[in-house]
Amino acid sequence: MKLIFLGTSCMVPTKERNQVCTLLSHGSELLMFDCGEGTQRQFKIAGLKPTKVTKILISHWHGDHVLGLPGLIQTMSASEYSGTLMIFGPKGIKEKINGMMNVFNFDCNIRIDVREIGEGVFFENKDYILEAVRLRHRILCIGYRFIEKDKRRINLEYTKKLGIPEGPILGKLQRGQQVKWNGNDVEIENATKLVKGKKIAFIFDTIPCESCQHIAEDADVLVSEGVYCSDLEEKALEYKHLTAKQAAQIAKQANVKKLILTHLSQRYKETKHLKEEAEREFGNVVCADDFMEVKI
Amino acid sequence: MKLIFLGTSCMVPTKERNQVCTLLSHGSELLMFDCGEGTQRQFKIAGLKPTKVTKILISHWHGDHVLGLPGLIQTMSASEYSGTLMIFGPKGIKEKINGMMNVFNFDCNIRIDVREIGEGVFFENKDYILEAVRLRHRILCIGYRFIEKDKRRINLEYTKKLGIPEGPILGKLQRGQQVKWNGNDVEIENATKLVKGKKIAFIFDTIPCESCQHIAEDADVLVSEGVYCSDLEEKALEYKHLTAKQAAQIAKQANVKKLILTHLSQRYKETKHLKEEAEREFGNVVCADDFMEVKI
């Protein structure tokens, strides 16, 4: 599993930073969190295929988070995307997506399933759960959590010692089912080990609130906006954004393992001060750059 | 006066080429021809201010020519653009722009004057004329011509010799009015010279047609799409685009001075073959790159 940062700017892109877009690559899936203008070109530069995207999770309908959608969908359509593209977002997003498709009346021939979500779990499959909270921005805005499910893995050393061959018996063990071998129960605790799934939280845009705390709780990685340094805390409050320090405080209080700051204001040519401020609150901080990849 | 190429790709952007956008800088004005996705970031990279744009001329409502509009307008609005932004385009564009503004409901506080145009002269001021023709693309599409007006300039060597001081008499001469000096008529032909205005034509997207010929007639510079090499002439016809060779044939027949090819297919990592094909038809060809500037 890895995170790929395709865009890391705030509202105004810079020479170095495209508008915000974060990818989570998990198995054969590519989940996209927000889609700023220019995202389809960032795919090209990163050497990635937009057709790999399976789900797009939109935090809120502000231009710097969604203006890449029409171009991306157009390109996916022209590339003969064969799946169903799921788009999740806050209440009202169906009308927005429909309006967008009408205004930019390209020949779109892909299946799109738009879902308006509230708070709580909104998607679950055998591998992971997706959860949402409502943040506090100027318009309806959602924070997301990706919760990977725990996985039972075969302890091959043990099963080989018992002489269990590869095949259905190992399959059953992996699913946590009781099996017999040579007339005896195989001890699942020894024959398998439970690998804890990872949690990744995504917070932007918002002021500090309890929902931030909740969605970030015990996350292995928290991807959060950290738009300004603390000298602009008032501005952050006015526009309803987090400072780097506030993001770090959330990370600390929520017992997060690693904090990645993104959605950074154009005024910071270097991220040194943002990082330093955050590090005063929380030990493990990285400022994202465009095309940065983080293995999880 | 100069041309600035902010984007030169065809439908799919590449690492090197953003979607199409051409600027014409004339006096204090910046005229924009089409506005592909990512244009506002190209401004940033070029070190130019979007707030300098006075007029946007849209050829047609295909995504790769217009998807940069909402972000650009949003940024102009946030930058306290004080003028009235004029947007010209084919019939139907008013509804599209209105729809776009509704879908991306950003707080836009700039004045926008959208004008649907047919064929012929659609704008004129003391410095230049703008003219349109209808091209032959898959949807309604317009080719443009910028015609700079001739300007009378004072021949200072001559007027100094006569002893005419700077002031209202020179002003009258510059406006082509008859004046007297020391009781004698000043000969306008000697006291001033007429500087011929330049013509710049813009052609994309289309198949070869009489309108191409008409709009390019005697242009100092023809900016034209040259999407493919001739081996893809059938494809060009199918999607209603010009090959580089066809663009050069138009330039030749229309007695153009310089041809600049843009809107180039992603398949050409180098423009060598496009240029060579065009040069077999017409002598003065340049393939545009992003951020290329051409003084006129």
Side-chain angles (χ1 to χ4, degrees), chain B residues 173-190:
Chain B
L173 280 170
Q174 196 162 25
R175 289 192 293 277
Q177 296 167 2
Q178 191 60 62
V179 296
K180 279 188 185 296
W181 181 248
N182 292 338
N184 299 316
D185 280 344
V186 177
E187 287 171 37
I188 293 184
E189 298 314 306
N190 292 326

mmCIF file of all heavy atoms in Angstrom, chain B residues 173-190:
data_model
loop_
_atom_site.group_PDB
_atom_site.id
_atom_site.type_symbol
_atom_site.label_atom_id
_atom_site.label_comp_id
_atom_site.label_asym_id
_atom_site.label_seq_id
_atom_site.Cartn_x
_atom_site.Cartn_y
_atom_site.Cartn_z
ATOM 1 N N LEU B 173 -0.290 66.133 -36.703
ATOM 2 C CA LEU B 173 0.378 65.410 -37.814
ATOM 3 C C LEU B 173 0.196 63.901 -37.649
ATOM 4 O O LEU B 173 -0.086 63.183 -38.614
ATOM 5 C CB LEU B 173 1.871 65.755 -37.844
ATOM 6 C CG LEU B 173 2.241 67.089 -38.507
ATOM 7 C CD1 LEU B 173 3.706 67.419 -38.253
ATOM 8 C CD2 LEU B 173 1.981 67.032 -40.026
ATOM 9 N N GLN B 174 0.371 63.450 -36.401
ATOM 10 C CA GLN B 174 0.259 62.002 -36.138
ATOM 11 C C GLN B 174 -1.149 61.483 -36.460
ATOM 12 O O GLN B 174 -1.316 60.335 -36.862
ATOM 13 C CB GLN B 174 0.609 61.715 -34.679
ATOM 14 C CG GLN B 174 0.890 60.234 -34.447
ATOM 15 C CD GLN B 174 1.640 59.986 -33.168
ATOM 16 O OE1 GLN B 174 1.574 60.783 -32.246
ATOM 17 N NE2 GLN B 174 2.367 58.887 -33.118
ATOM 18 N N ARG B 175 -2.135 62.350 -36.266
ATOM 19 C CA ARG B 175 -3.503 61.952 -36.592
ATOM 20 C C ARG B 175 -3.808 62.138 -38.077
ATOM 21 O O ARG B 175 -4.924 61.945 -38.524
ATOM 22 C CB ARG B 175 -4.485 62.750 -35.725
ATOM 23 C CG ARG B 175 -4.473 62.345 -34.246
ATOM 24 C CD ARG B 175 -5.636 62.939 -33.474
ATOM 25 N NE ARG B 175 -5.539 64.397 -33.369
ATOM 26 C CZ ARG B 175 -4.814 65.052 -32.452
ATOM 27 N NH1 ARG B 175 -4.096 64.375 -31.558
ATOM 28 N NH2 ARG B 175 -4.794 66.370 -32.417
ATOM 29 N N GLY B 176 -2.776 62.559 -38.839
ATOM 30 C CA GLY B 176 -2.936 62.695 -40.289
ATOM 31 C C GLY B 176 -3.591 63.994 -40.711
ATOM 32 O O GLY B 176 -4.060 64.120 -41.842
ATOM 33 N N GLN B 177 -3.646 64.969 -39.796
ATOM 34 C CA GLN B 177 -4.292 66.251 -40.118
ATOM 35 C C GLN B 177 -3.286 67.223 -40.743
ATOM 36 O O GLN B 177 -2.107 67.208 -40.411
ATOM 37 C CB GLN B 177 -4.892 66.875 -38.848
ATOM 38 C CG GLN B 177 -6.013 66.027 -38.246
ATOM 39 C CD GLN B 177 -6.400 66.448 -36.840
ATOM 40 O OE1 GLN B 177 -5.857 67.408 -36.302
ATOM 41 N NE2 GLN B 177 -7.335 65.726 -36.253
ATOM 42 N N GLN B 178 -3.814 68.065 -41.637
ATOM 43 C CA GLN B 178 -2.983 69.073 -42.300
ATOM 44 C C GLN B 178 -2.662 70.195 -41.305
ATOM 45 O O GLN B 178 -3.547 70.655 -40.596
ATOM 46 C CB GLN B 178 -3.751 69.622 -43.518
ATOM 47 C CG GLN B 178 -2.915 70.471 -44.420
ATOM 48 C CD GLN B 178 -1.725 69.704 -44.995
ATOM 49 O OE1 GLN B 178 -1.896 68.727 -45.717
ATOM 50 N NE2 GLN B 178 -0.500 70.118 -44.650
ATOM 51 N N VAL B 179 -1.383 70.594 -41.198
ATOM 52 C CA VAL B 179 -1.025 71.728 -40.317
ATOM 53 C C VAL B 179 -0.135 72.711 -41.079
ATOM 54 O O VAL B 179 0.483 72.368 -42.092
ATOM 55 C CB VAL B 179 -0.284 71.272 -39.029
ATOM 56 C CG1 VAL B 179 -1.175 70.416 -38.154
ATOM 57 C CG2 VAL B 179 1.003 70.533 -39.383
ATOM 58 N N LYS B 180 -0.093 73.931 -40.560
ATOM 59 C CA LYS B 180 0.793 74.959 -41.132
ATOM 60 C C LYS B 180 1.933 75.206 -40.156
ATOM 61 O O LYS B 180 1.765 75.134 -38.940
ATOM 62 C CB LYS B 180 0.010 76.252 -41.370
ATOM 63 C CG LYS B 180 -0.810 76.246 -42.653
ATOM 64 C CD LYS B 180 -1.395 77.621 -42.900
ATOM 65 C CE LYS B 180 -2.324 77.660 -44.111
ATOM 66 N NZ LYS B 180 -1.680 77.368 -45.402
ATOM 67 N N TRP B 181 3.123 75.525 -40.683
ATOM 68 C CA TRP B 181 4.263 75.920 -39.850
ATOM 69 C C TRP B 181 4.997 77.047 -40.578
ATOM 70 O O TRP B 181 5.319 76.894 -41.753
ATOM 71 C CB TRP B 181 5.197 74.722 -39.622
ATOM 72 C CG TRP B 181 6.364 75.080 -38.743
ATOM 73 C CD1 TRP B 181 7.663 75.150 -39.101
ATOM 74 C CD2 TRP B 181 6.328 75.415 -37.356
ATOM 75 N NE1 TRP B 181 8.445 75.490 -38.063
ATOM 76 C CE2 TRP B 181 7.646 75.684 -36.941
ATOM 77 C CE3 TRP B 181 5.277 75.540 -36.399
ATOM 78 C CZ2 TRP B 181 7.980 76.048 -35.645
ATOM 79 C CZ3 TRP B 181 5.615 75.897 -35.106
ATOM 80 C CH2 TRP B 181 6.942 76.141 -34.737
ATOM 81 N N ASN B 182 5.164 78.191 -39.880
ATOM 82 C CA ASN B 182 5.746 79.390 -40.486
ATOM 83 C C ASN B 182 5.007 79.785 -41.774
ATOM 84 O O ASN B 182 5.642 80.123 -42.788
ATOM 85 C CB ASN B 182 7.247 79.190 -40.799
ATOM 86 C CG ASN B 182 8.060 79.088 -39.514
ATOM 87 O OD1 ASN B 182 7.617 79.556 -38.453
ATOM 88 N ND2 ASN B 182 9.230 78.466 -39.598
ATOM 89 N N GLY B 183 3.684 79.626 -41.727
ATOM 90 C CA GLY B 183 2.867 80.049 -42.852
ATOM 91 C C GLY B 183 2.761 79.072 -44.001
ATOM 92 O O GLY B 183 1.987 79.268 -44.932
ATOM 93 N N ASN B 184 3.518 77.958 -43.928
ATOM 94 C CA ASN B 184 3.469 76.976 -45.025
ATOM 95 C C ASN B 184 2.805 75.671 -44.580
ATOM 96 O O ASN B 184 2.913 75.263 -43.418
ATOM 97 C CB ASN B 184 4.887 76.633 -45.513
ATOM 98 C CG ASN B 184 5.586 77.866 -46.043
ATOM 99 O OD1 ASN B 184 4.996 78.666 -46.772
ATOM 100 N ND2 ASN B 184 6.838 78.027 -45.633
ATOM 101 N N ASP B 185 2.155 74.995 -45.526
ATOM 102 C CA ASP B 185 1.627 73.654 -45.255
ATOM 103 C C ASP B 185 2.786 72.692 -45.018
ATOM 104 O O ASP B 185 3.767 72.694 -45.782
ATOM 105 C CB ASP B 185 0.827 73.139 -46.471
ATOM 106 C CG ASP B 185 -0.584 73.743 -46.498
ATOM 107 O OD1 ASP B 185 -1.019 74.291 -45.452
ATOM 108 O OD2 ASP B 185 -1.232 73.663 -47.557
ATOM 109 N N VAL B 186 2.668 71.875 -43.934
ATOM 110 C CA VAL B 186 3.679 70.827 -43.708
ATOM 111 C C VAL B 186 3.281 69.598 -44.534
ATOM 112 O O VAL B 186 2.112 69.203 -44.526
ATOM 113 C CB VAL B 186 3.767 70.465 -42.210
ATOM 114 C CG1 VAL B 186 4.768 69.339 -41.989
ATOM 115 C CG2 VAL B 186 4.151 71.696 -41.392
ATOM 116 N N GLU B 187 4.236 69.043 -45.268
ATOM 117 C CA GLU B 187 3.914 67.870 -46.096
ATOM 118 C C GLU B 187 3.831 66.615 -45.221
ATOM 119 O O GLU B 187 4.843 66.135 -44.712
ATOM 120 C CB GLU B 187 4.971 67.673 -47.178
ATOM 121 C CG GLU B 187 4.880 68.708 -48.283
ATOM 122 C CD GLU B 187 6.070 68.621 -49.219
ATOM 123 O OE1 GLU B 187 6.536 67.494 -49.489
ATOM 124 O OE2 GLU B 187 6.544 69.694 -49.641
ATOM 125 N N ILE B 188 2.609 66.116 -45.062
ATOM 126 C CA ILE B 188 2.399 64.948 -44.170
ATOM 127 C C ILE B 188 3.242 63.756 -44.615
ATOM 128 O O ILE B 188 3.793 63.020 -43.789
ATOM 129 C CB ILE B 188 0.905 64.563 -44.130
ATOM 130 C CG1 ILE B 188 0.113 65.688 -43.431
ATOM 131 C CG2 ILE B 188 0.705 63.259 -43.366
ATOM 132 C CD1 ILE B 188 -1.349 65.404 -43.241
ATOM 133 N N GLU B 189 3.359 63.568 -45.915
ATOM 134 C CA GLU B 189 4.097 62.394 -46.420
ATOM 135 C C GLU B 189 5.556 62.397 -45.956
ATOM 136 O O GLU B 189 6.152 61.361 -45.730
ATOM 137 C CB GLU B 189 4.046 62.356 -47.958
ATOM 138 C CG GLU B 189 2.647 62.221 -48.520
ATOM 139 C CD GLU B 189 1.812 61.164 -47.820
ATOM 140 O OE1 GLU B 189 2.291 60.010 -47.733
ATOM 141 O OE2 GLU B 189 0.705 61.480 -47.314
ATOM 142 N N ASN B 190 6.115 63.618 -45.820
ATOM 143 C CA ASN B 190 7.500 63.712 -45.340
ATOM 144 C C ASN B 190 7.592 63.760 -43.814
ATOM 145 O O ASN B 190 8.532 63.235 -43.221
ATOM 146 C CB ASN B 190 8.177 64.970 -45.909
ATOM 147 C CG ASN B 190 8.375 64.849 -47.413
ATOM 148 O OD1 ASN B 190 8.622 63.751 -47.916
ATOM 149 N ND2 ASN B 190 8.229 65.954 -48.130
#
